[in-house]
Amino acid sequence: MFAVVRTGGKQYRVAAGDKIVVEKIAGEAGETVTLDDVLLAGDGSEIKDSKGLTVSAEIIAQAKGEKVIVFKKRRRHNYRRRNGHRQQHTILKIVAIGAEAPKKKAAAKKADAAPAAAEA
């Protein structure tokens, strides 16, 4: 099964076990993140409904990209500016593509906590 997810303003086609490099996502190496913005899902040549799907990924490392040199020059005006930039990246390993976890349990816990707070 594959999915197309959007993160960092870009779209990635992913499947379970893939490693991708995306714009920086907060978290430490070894943590699990959930990518909720699933645009498309499918299995082989068959397209499936992507509503409610999430992609679970594990952060492998936080890294920096290659250095990009920005050089500006205006001829005959003694104007030269040199600047460098290294983009922050996160390397992800896709763990699973699946349905969103049910939220009924969280709602039930909130309902149980409300009467306890009223009694106090």
Side-chain angles (χ1 to χ4, degrees):
M1 182 170 190
F2 72 91
V4 176
V5 295
R6 178 172 36 206
T7 180
K10 297 177 182 74
Q11 297 175 8
Y12 302 91
R13 183 187 188 275
V14 297
D18 287 353
K19 291 182 182 177
I20 58 173
V21 178
V22 299
E23 297 289 320
K24 184 166 175 66
I25 297 175
E28 297 295 322
E31 290 183 15
T32 302
V33 294
T34 303
L35 306 174
D36 296 326
D37 198 1
V38 179
L39 304 174
L40 180 75
D43 196 5
S45 61
E46 181 182 329
I47 302 299
K48 296 188 175 188
D49 185 25
S50 63
K51 193 171 192 175
L53 274 181
T54 59
V55 175
S56 177
E58 179 184 350
I59 296 176
I60 295 176
Q62 301 285 4
K64 287 185 177 181
E66 293 293 318
K67 188 168 206 172
V68 177
I69 302 296
V70 180
F71 185 76
K72 299 178 182 179
K73 180 181 178 179
R74 294 198 181 132
R75 63 185 191 160
R76 296 189 300 269
H77 290 281
N78 196 24
Y79 175 84
R80 288 183 295 276
R81 301 290 182 267
R82 182 178 178 273
N83 198 357
H85 175 75
R86 291 186 73 184
Q87 186 66 37
Q88 300 282 334
H89 293 299
T90 300
I91 303 171
L92 296 176
K93 181 179 181 185
I94 306 301
V95 177
I97 300 172
E100 192 171 345
K103 295 184 179 180
K104 293 180 181 178
K105 291 180 182 178
K109 287 181 183 177
K110 289 180 184 177
D112 293 339
E119 292 173 13

